[in-house]
Amino acid sequence: EIVLTQSPGTLSLSPGERATLSCRASQSVSGKYLAWYQQKPGQAPRLLIYGTSSRATGVPDRFSGSGSGTDFTLTISRLEPEDFAVYYCHHYDSSRTFGQGTKVEIK
Amino acid sequence: EVQLVQSGGGLVQPGGSLRLSCATSGFAFSFYAMSWVRQAPGKGLEWVSGITNGGGSTYYADSVKGRFTISRDNSNNTLYLQMYSLRAEDTALYYCAKGSGGGRPYYLDHWGQGTLVTVSS
């Protein structure tokens, strides 16, 4: 079973700063099947990125994804107030595993 | 506009049963796989079950295998999750989600609003 480990658990940043979120897989996975979701309090998750680096419809270009093998990254180039949320990576091949989440909070 | 409207949650005793529904609109339901994902209070996301577009293949997390059954009614654009032998650890907000394609693998591109299942005596 593939385990996804996200780091850090919490990221404290100010609006306008750059956020770098990590997702590490316990074994090499195909980047074709790596997604990122954003979840705000009291809301359902929202798809941000699929296939490691493809943005979902309507997602601003300040969100970008990269990586391969076991290491994947979600980058938010300049944090907007609405970006403070929890972010989950997801491997949607056979394991269908989610990472435990990274909370991006206002510093 | 894609819409997933969930119903059927509630309070149930340990060992009890419950059926969740997810009524959909705004897309060709029969063309897309669907999934259920849950979130225990204050915790992260856990994939629970999935079903291909035609209903011919179903998939379950080990934690629910043999107790939960996923199904779909393509004539009524509705997804279901029948839950049996419920345990306290099944307490969670359950989300239905639309897959990006008809079969595996697929990411989840639209989500329902969630329905709360509480298992307690």
Side-chain angles (χ1 to χ4, degrees):
Chain A
E1 178 187 337
I2 294 171
V3 176
L4 299 180
T5 301
Q6 293 186 239
S7 62
T10 301
L11 199 50
S12 298
L13 295 168
S14 300
E17 290 194 290
R18 181 184 188 90
T20 303
L21 287 66
S22 172
C23 176
R24 178 162 291 178
S26 57
Q27 59 188 274
S28 184
V29 300
S30 170
K32 288 194 293 185
Y33 308 127
L34 197 288
W36 291 90
Y37 300 87
Q38 176 194 65
Q39 188 178 33
K40 297 179 182 179
Q43 296 186 17
R46 170 199 178 197
L47 174 69
L48 293 177
I49 300 285
Y50 61 93
T52 294
S53 59
S54 297
R55 275 187 299 275
T57 303
V59 174
D61 61 7
R62 63 180 180 273
F63 291 91
S64 63
S66 62
S68 65
T70 59
D71 292 306
F72 298 87
T73 300
L74 175 70
T75 301
I76 310 171
S77 59
R78 293 173 310 279
L79 282 164
E80 296 288 340
E82 62 267 28
D83 300 336
F84 292 91
V86 180
Y87 293 84
Y88 295 94
C89 58
H90 176 213
H91 179 243
Y92 51 94
D93 198 359
S94 55
S95 68
R96 295 175 286 276
T97 312
F98 287 93
Q100 83 280 17
T102 289
K103 181 179 182 180
V104 178
E105 65 175 22
I106 300 176
K107 186 174 181 181
Chain B
E1 179 192 4
V2 172
Q3 290 197 339
L4 307 173
V5 179
Q6 298 183 227
S7 59
L11 175 64
V12 61
Q13 292 188 334
S17 301
L18 207 58
R19 189 176 84 155
L20 306 183
S21 299
C22 175
T24 74
S25 61
F27 66 101
F29 181 71
S30 64
F31 282 23
Y32 294 94
M34 299 290 294
S35 283
W36 290 96
V37 176
R38 69 185 180 184
Q39 187 169 36
K43 302 297 184 183
L45 302 174
E46 179 190 14
W47 178 84
V48 172
S49 183
I51 186 168
T52 52
N53 63 319
S57 294
T58 56
Y59 312 94
Y60 299 93
D62 288 344
S63 57
V64 306
K65 199 172 294 182
R67 299 188 300 120
F68 289 13
T69 301
I70 189 172
S71 63
R72 62 191 297 158
D73 181 347
N74 282 353
S75 63
N76 286 306
N77 300 329
T78 302
L79 176 73
Y80 300 101
L81 185 67
Q82 178 70 56
M83 303 182 292
Y84 301 99
S85 302
L86 283 161
R87 307 166 179 167
E89 54 265 35
D90 296 318
T91 294
L93 189 59
Y94 284 72
Y95 293 102
C96 65
K98 172 186 169 291
S100 54
R104 290 193 308 171
Y106 55 87
Y107 53 87
L108 304 172
D109 58 14
H110 292 83
W111 296 62
Q113 83 278 14
T115 189
L116 184 62
V117 172
T118 303
V119 184
S120 175
S121 55

